[in-house]
Amino acid sequence: MQVITSTRALEAFCKDAATYDFVTVDTEFLRETTYWPKLCLIQAATADRAVIIDPLADDIDLAPFAELLADRHVTKVFHAARQDIEIFVKLFGVVPHPIFDTQVAASVCGHGDSVSYDNLVRSVVGEQIDKSSRFTDWSHRPLTEKQLNYALADVTHLRDIYGQLRTEIDKTRRGAWVADEMAVLESVDTYVIQPEVAWKRVKARVNKPRDLAALQAIAAWRERRAQENDQPRGRILKDDAIAELAIQRPTTPDAFEKLRAVPRGYGRSAAAAELIAIIKSVEAADKSSLPKVAERPRGPSPKGAVGDLLRVWLKAVADTNGVATRIIASSDDIDAIVLDDNADVPALKGWRRKLFGEKALAIKHGRMALAATRKGVVEVSVDLAE
């Protein structure tokens, strides 16, 4: 095992890795008390070499690794890539490219929805990973050999998994399916959350323009504060508190004490003073400047019988094609299709529309029915003229 602790050694590894078609990558990090993940280890492997890079070492500059991640001739292979890539986007300002996420590819190839690395190693490689070091404090030094071996296994088995999934994808001709998913992972917008759109992550139902304006402003305030102070969002203010503040809009410290989701005494804090100023600004805003609340489309309920039928069809399509349902359509996709034939959702675009979306619309409008047989659910054409 090689543990790289110097820039010179890292340069040598990255120069060698650049001569290969792919490199497997994983990270170990801490995030429990911070907004931004704290990078503690980088694991990387080529076809015949595996290393651990220590980003906390005194004599190391990660610039050579950044160059490797940006090398378009080398595919960067991850499992469940989002958090790893988020770290690299924060460190280097760019998304690694090209990338291959084995969790996504496994879903496309019928290995299950959001399959874990452990399960994939077991089913593809036929080995069992020792999980005893899973809850390691990766910022602690020195790390034991057992801990380092555990970390390294995250990229050594990944080589075999990558090769197997590549073969399955080529055999089933599902390269376009995987490419669609990778395009999302290769977009910087997937990892950089702008405060102005942070409200979309908050589960809150608002029916009035001024409520929505308050929700947008308060969520943006929390996001900026979390980023600037490097604290988790929930430690700044929880989602239910933001929703309550947006609807109740307290403008005095005493008014905060009447809220259920806000901690006692919060109204006297400096944070509350900032929120009061924000809320007063929203209250003073002219009606013409307020955001529009999306109209509720009229028609069948997404949670009613039509939605149920589309979910049955989705399960049938997924089973027939040996692919996870989530890859074809999400629950939100189905809700949107029930409400709108032209919904802007992945399930009505590209290969997903051909595989599922077109017939989902046919079911919705009564042009196609479903029947249960011994072989499973099958489609039945409907002649509306009868």
Side-chain angles (χ1 to χ4, degrees), residues 90-356:
K90 180 66 169 62
L91 284 175
F92 308 131
V94 294
V95 179
H97 183 84
I99 62 174
F100 185 96
D101 188 327
T102 55
Q103 186 178 69
V104 172
S107 296
V108 168
C109 294
H111 291 272
D113 190 7
S114 300
V115 61
S116 71
Y117 182 70
D118 296 349
N119 289 337
L120 208 51
V121 169
R122 190 180 307 113
S123 64
V124 175
V125 183
E127 294 193 21
Q128 183 75 39
I129 292 179
D130 179 3
K131 301 179 182 180
S132 60
S133 297
R134 173 163 295 189
F135 300 108
T136 290
D137 177 359
W138 295 106
S139 66
H140 178 74
R141 295 293 184 272
L143 293 169
T144 66
E145 185 174 351
K146 181 180 180 181
Q147 291 169 331
L148 293 173
N149 281 324
Y150 169 83
L152 204 61
D154 286 342
V155 289
T156 53
H157 294 310
L158 198 54
R159 296 179 295 199
D160 296 328
I161 292 170
Y162 172 64
Q164 176 65 29
L165 292 176
R166 273 292 191 189
T167 300
E168 291 182 31
I169 290 167
D170 291 342
K171 184 178 180 179
T172 56
R173 298 181 181 179
R174 292 179 179 176
W177 299 17
V178 176
D180 276 359
E181 297 300 306
M182 298 308 162
V184 174
L185 292 175
E186 289 174 351
S187 171
V188 71
D189 293 337
T190 301
Y191 310 99
V192 179
I193 300 175
Q194 300 297 336
E196 292 73 23
V197 298
W199 65 275
K200 294 181 179 180
R201 300 170 63 96
V202 180
K203 292 183 178 181
R205 285 196 172 189
V206 291
N207 302 314
K208 299 176 182 179
R210 207 170 295 276
D211 292 352
L212 179 56
L215 178 67
Q216 292 175 345
I218 295 169
W221 169 85
R222 180 182 69 170
E223 198 71 20
R224 281 191 290 269
R225 195 177 180 94
Q227 291 177 355
E228 291 167 359
N229 296 338
D230 196 18
Q231 288 183 294
R233 297 180 189 88
R235 291 201 177 187
I236 303 296
L237 208 59
K238 296 189 181 301
D239 281 5
D240 55 350
I242 287 182
E244 189 175 18
L245 284 168
I247 295 172
Q248 299 298 331
R249 297 196 292 281
T251 56
T252 66
D254 289 339
F256 271 79
E257 298 305 312
K258 299 178 182 179
L259 303 179
R260 297 178 61 185
V262 176
R264 293 299 174 195
Y266 191 85
R268 306 292 173 184
S269 67
E274 294 179 17
L275 287 170
I276 288 172
I278 290 171
I279 291 168
K280 286 182 176 180
S281 177
V282 170
E283 295 285 33
D286 187 85
K287 284 186 178 181
S288 61
S289 67
L290 298 176
K292 292 183 178 180
V293 176
E295 294 183 7
R296 292 184 178 179
R298 296 179 180 179
S301 167
K303 303 303 180 185
V306 175
D308 290 342
L309 281 173
L310 298 192
R311 287 175 171 82
V312 170
W313 175 239
L314 174 61
K315 183 65 166 58
V317 170
D319 288 347
T320 299
N321 289 275
V323 59
T325 56
R326 181 187 61 82
I327 291 294
I328 302 172
S330 67
S331 182
D332 288 343
D333 285 356
I334 290 179
D335 290 351
I337 293 171
V338 172
L339 296 172
D340 184 0
D341 287 1
N342 299 306
D344 184 18
V345 294
L348 291 181
K349 298 176 183 177
W351 65 268
R352 292 178 175 86
R353 186 180 184 100
K354 293 179 181 179
L355 189 69
F356 167 78

